[in-house]
Amino acid sequence: MKVTVSAPGKITLLGEHAVVYGKPALVSAINRRLYVAVEGRSDSAIRVSALDLHIPGLILTFKEGSKDYLIETDYDRIVDAMAYVRKAIEISSKHLASKSGVNVTIRSEMPVGAGLGTSAAIAVGTISAYTRLLGHDLDPEEIARLGHMTELSVQGAASPMDTAISTMGGTLFIRPTSGKPKIEKLRLGVGLPAVVGYTERESRTSDLLKRVKVLRESTPKVVDSIMGTIGYAVEEGKDALLRGDLEVLGRLMNVNHGLLEALGVSSKRLNDMVYSSRSAGALGSKMTGAGGGGCMVALCPGREDKVEIAIRVVGGEPFRAALSGDGVRMESAEK
Ligand code: MEV
């Protein structure tokens, strides 16, 4: 039996990092998906193949006047992705008290490990497909909870945000609590035309989470007040979104980017894309996700073409994203 599911990537409109410290966040699924196919095996092994992950495999640097060259690979990110698959299977097997050897195949329509929530999509997709293969139909809340456990275990720290949006889709206002997170699915009266800019990632999520933690330990009042302000931006952003006021939402995205920059998680390349999109007429733009390179998002109704060019001019790779896509969904089940 082979089960294929897909799970969406996401854009954090407002609130990443602060959400790890209990502040709310506003997050939307996007129309780029990651596909996980799980097929039973007769033995107990787990075999994972990853295709189309948009990970450059090899970088060669030649030095002028020398025969020496430097080989760099980006296989670390593939290994990172595999860690989520393995942990998701382990946690699901424990939860169901049942297990099976499997072949897992992953395909992605977006760059993996670039701030679009692909590790959550891998975790949620694997849990959903694997538990179906074992004959169980978990409810979305359970899938999101196991997904969050997977991220926590692989990364050391994680909010429930990425796994909740990948499971439920749409646009969510999410407030972590010590128990079940409070999640509100927002009904939007407006579309959110956005352009995403991608640049190579320089740091891992776990390192960026650590960077913020260390900063907070050394300057707790300053960091807590930044987190508090991000929380207010999220609350005001939610109201703006619900009344369809994209101008105010855009302004809050700009404020949020400044605060993330203050936390030390942005990068020169991300900033270049953020500022060039604003010059091209975006209502708001910010980095999205953990940072350290990766992706930014520009809210730019009617200015998408200009913003795409502006991102390209500073060396980024733009793509359009329709926000508010479906959550995890079954694609096929073959005998
Ligand atoms: C990563 O997409 C978002 C962070 O806030 C981490 C998390 O919420 O788990 C940086």
Side-chain angles (χ1 to χ4, degrees):
M1 166 116 170
K2 182 177 179 185
V3 177
T4 306
V5 305
S6 71
K10 67 102 218 299
I11 290 295
T12 312
L13 290 166
L14 296 166
E16 55 272 269
H17 284 288
V19 70
V20 178
Y21 294 86
K23 301 298 174 200
L26 208 49
V27 60
S28 265
I30 57 172
N31 59 340
R32 298 258 177 155
R33 306 185 71 82
L34 183 135
Y35 294 80
V36 181
V38 173
E39 196 172 12
R41 287 173 65 105
S42 51
D43 60 13
S44 61
I46 296 170
R47 175 176 185 266
V48 185
S49 22
L51 310 164
D52 297 339
L53 294 194
H54 303 251
I55 295 175
L58 181 72
I59 303 166
L60 273 183
T61 310
F62 294 92
K63 284 196 201 138
E64 210 182 320
S66 150
K67 285 198 180 124
D68 293 344
Y69 52 84
L70 177 72
I71 302 179
E72 296 164 70
T73 64
D74 215 348
Y75 292 139
D76 272 9
R77 278 205 276 159
I78 302 179
V79 173
D80 280 354
M82 297 308 111
Y84 291 92
V85 173
R86 200 169 156 189
K87 194 44 90 177
I89 290 178
E90 189 185 307
I91 285 176
S92 304
S93 300
K94 210 170 191 182
H95 178 72
L96 299 177
S98 142
K99 64 180 179 183
S100 164
V102 279
N103 292 331
V104 182
T105 309
I106 299 175
R107 278 191 306 115
S108 176
E109 294 174 345
M110 61 201 142
V112 165
L116 297 176
T118 45
S119 37
I122 290 175
V124 162
T126 304
I127 290 163
S128 176
Y130 179 71
T131 53
R132 284 281 186 127
L133 184 85
L134 293 179
H136 295 261
D137 190 6
L138 300 188
D139 64 36
E141 215 175 87
E142 204 55 18
I143 294 174
R145 191 180 70 81
L146 298 177
H148 182 214
M149 282 169 67
T150 304
E151 282 213 313
L152 268 177
S153 167
V154 177
Q155 289 167 198
S159 78
M161 172 176 75
D162 289 8
T163 39
I165 190 70
S166 197
T167 307
M168 296 173 63
T171 296
L172 303 179
F173 174 82
I174 176 158
R175 188 189 292 277
T177 67
S178 52
K180 263 206 284 183
K182 184 175 170 276
I183 297 174
E184 243 179 276
K185 197 157 189 172
L186 304 183
R187 283 167 167 262
L188 306 187
V190 283
L192 291 173
V195 171
V196 172
Y198 165 68
T199 175
E200 199 57 31
R201 185 117 184 248
E202 294 143 24
S203 317
R204 289 192 170 125
T205 299
S206 51
D207 296 332
L208 292 150
L209 290 167
K210 219 176 282 160
R211 192 183 297 173
V212 174
K213 185 167 175 263
V214 167
L215 185 67
R216 183 166 180 259
E217 279 161 7
S218 57
T219 59
K221 281 190 192 151
V222 170
V223 170
D224 283 347
S225 67
I226 291 173
M227 300 294 189
T229 309
I230 294 176
Y232 290 131
V234 172
E235 278 162 22
E236 293 193 357
K238 176 189 168 198
D239 294 343
L241 191 55
L242 288 176
R243 61 174 192 273
D245 191 340
L246 297 190
E247 285 205 9
V248 168
L249 180 64
R251 267 180 229 146
L252 290 165
M253 288 167 71
N254 294 345
V255 169
N256 194 172
H257 181 77
L259 296 169
L260 288 162
E261 165 77 355
L263 291 176
V265 293
S266 190
S267 73
K268 162 95 172 53
R269 286 174 159 203
L270 278 174
N271 290 349
D272 287 347
M273 296 193 288
V274 162
Y275 291 114
S276 65
S277 322
R278 287 185 207 164
S279 310
L283 294 178
S285 57
K286 63 181 276 291
M287 55 160 269
T288 180
C295 288
M296 52 72 68
V297 55
L299 185 61
C300 49
R303 312 285 292 189
E304 291 93 329
D305 288 346
K306 292 203 165 62
V307 168
E308 278 185 347
I309 294 167
I311 289 173
R312 201 162 269 133
V313 163
V314 294
E317 259 179 61
F319 65 84
R320 288 192 195 197
L323 301 190
S324 271
D326 282 350
V328 68
R329 70 175 182 229
M330 184 77 172
E331 296 289 343
S332 63
E334 299 154 28
K335 284 265 165 217

